Amino acid sequence: MAGEETELSDKQKKEIAKWFLLNAPAGEIQYVAKDLKSVLNNDDVYDEAASEAFPVYNKSHMICLEMPGRFGDVLVTSYGELQGNEYLDPKTAQVAIVDHVKQVCTEVRPATDEELPTPYVEEYRCALEAEMLKYVSEAYPKGSCSVYCINGKDVEGPGYDFELVAVISAARLSPQNFCTGSWRSIWNIECKDDIQVLELKGKLQVGAHYFEEGNVQLDAKHECRDSTMFQSPDDGAIAIASLIRHHETEYLASLEASYLNLPDATFKDLRRKLPVTRTLFPWHSTSQFNLTREISKELGIGK
């Protein structure tokens, strides 16, 4: 019957709730979750949606959590994911057990030898991580980074290829001032021993949310490639970090330039240059227009 409202099934409600959780801006998922729980008024549906959405959200946003026992912080990423809710922190060789919905690290255990790369690969990984930590501390005051070996972690010496990935996650959250922002970058480094080349592939993502008396969001993405010579661990790390610094600085500068041009270029281009008649309005001679006369003519009044 027309006008009747159809009650959503629990499965439909769960999928809608997941969509809202997964699309929450950086650092705001807990606020969204609180409102959703109140709106749903169904703990079972909410718990199921949260248990599925939070792990995906946490990994995609590469959130940083403090590990108990003064081990430092761990980045929650798919590159460090082991099994269940366990995530490797390469810097400390510790494995963090994470409660995704509460967004806290509950336990820590030492990583096993099988979960870590060989000493040969670890030398390259450690050297790159040291250079990346220097760069991140300078460029991102509230940033974190980790370097993982994602392919060839069993390589024992020269003559074989392996792949590292460096991830950077930085967030500036100020909900009390109605704004949040995040920077995420992922750099895949293929170490090709046979041709003595290091190939870099970068994926950069910037997000911002301003919601004081409105709702404005930015979601900018950028990809880039570069390469350098396969060198010693220390020299290779310096070269890679320099390339990453160059590309990220260049992209940030392009973002700043584009927003400086918003008032004079982008916003101006959004407006129609000419009215639908394709002629400029004759402001110097408005007497030729008589609204009453035109309406009367159209309606046939006075004939």
Side-chain angles (χ1 to χ4, degrees):
M1 188 174 177
E4 286 188 355
E5 291 185 1
T6 304
E7 177 69 22
L8 295 175
S9 66
D10 286 350
K11 183 178 179 180
Q12 289 173 313
K13 291 178 182 178
K14 184 193 77 171
E15 292 303 317
I16 293 172
K18 280 174 58 180
W19 186 91
F20 277 106
L21 291 169
L22 291 171
N23 286 278
E28 296 181 44
I29 190 171
Q30 293 292 355
Y31 299 104
V32 175
K34 183 179 178 181
D35 290 341
L36 273 176
K37 191 170 186 178
S38 175
V39 171
L40 286 170
N41 196 27
N42 185 323
D43 289 346
D44 292 337
V45 172
Y46 168 78
D47 291 342
E48 192 173 348
S51 66
E52 294 179 17
F54 267 88
V56 177
Y57 179 91
N58 292 340
K59 286 183 285 186
S60 66
H61 283 263
M62 299 192 296
I63 67 169
C64 183
L65 299 177
E66 183 180 355
M67 292 187 287
R70 297 184 178 180
F71 283 107
D73 297 331
V74 60
L75 281 177
V76 178
T77 75
S78 58
Y79 305 105
E81 187 175 17
L82 299 176
Q83 57 182 357
N85 294 327
E86 295 185 339
Y87 294 86
L88 174 67
D89 177 44
K91 291 190 293 291
T92 59
Q94 298 292 316
V95 175
I97 293 85
V98 172
D99 184 326
H100 279 289
V101 176
K102 293 182 179 178
Q103 293 185 316
V104 296
C105 177
T106 56
E107 298 177 48
V108 176
R109 68 166 176 83
T112 64
D113 290 341
E114 291 74 22
E115 294 167 339
L116 298 172
T118 62
Y120 173 75
V121 175
E122 182 65 9
E123 187 177 4
Y124 283 90
R125 194 206 66 77
C126 279
L128 178 57
E129 189 168 66
E131 290 299 320
M132 291 300 296
L133 286 170
K134 290 180 188 176
Y135 162 58
V136 170
S137 66
E138 297 169 3
Y140 307 99
K142 295 188 177 182
S144 300
C145 77
S146 284
V147 178
Y148 306 89
C149 178
I150 57 174
N151 282 313
K153 71 175 183 177
D154 298 327
V155 170
E156 296 284 354
Y160 298 92
D161 300 344
F162 59 92
E163 185 176 1
L164 303 175
V165 61
V167 301
I168 300 173
S169 177
R172 188 163 188 173
L173 312 176
S174 187
Q176 69 275 15
N177 293 317
F178 307 101
C179 64
T180 60
S182 67
W183 173 286
R184 287 164 277 168
S185 54
I186 300 170
W187 292 91
N188 288 74
I189 303 106
E190 291 186 55
C191 305
K192 298 186 175 182
D193 187 271
D194 55 340
I195 57 175
Q196 293 292 292
V197 168
L198 300 173
E199 292 189 351
L200 282 74
K201 299 176 185 175
K203 294 182 179 179
L204 286 58
Q205 185 170 0
V206 184
H209 185 208
Y210 295 89
F211 49 101
E212 183 175 15
E213 297 183 0
N215 184 13
V216 179
Q217 294 195 47
L218 163 72
D219 186 13
K221 298 178 182 179
H222 177 68
E223 294 188 11
C224 50
R225 291 171 175 263
D226 213 323
S227 63
T228 185
M229 293 294 294
F230 197 136
Q231 307 170 65
S232 67
D234 290 339
D235 291 339
I238 292 172
I240 292 169
S242 178
L243 288 174
I244 291 174
R245 180 192 295 270
H246 166 73
H247 283 287
E248 294 195 347
T249 302
E250 189 177 64
Y251 178 55
L252 185 58
S254 71
L255 280 178
E256 291 177 341
S258 66
Y259 289 113
L260 285 173
N261 291 331
L262 275 178
D264 297 328
T266 309
F267 287 156
K268 193 173 181 180
D269 290 341
L270 291 174
R271 300 189 63 184
R272 187 193 300 274
K273 292 182 174 59
L274 292 172
V276 291
T277 59
R278 308 301 297 171
T279 57
L280 292 174
F281 188 84
W283 294 103
H284 60 283
S285 179
T286 57
S287 59
Q288 65 180 289
F289 294 96
N290 185 308
L291 185 60
T292 304
R293 185 176 68 243
E294 293 295 327
I295 292 176
S296 299
K297 182 179 178 182
E298 287 293 325
L299 297 178
I301 301 173
K303 289 185 177 179

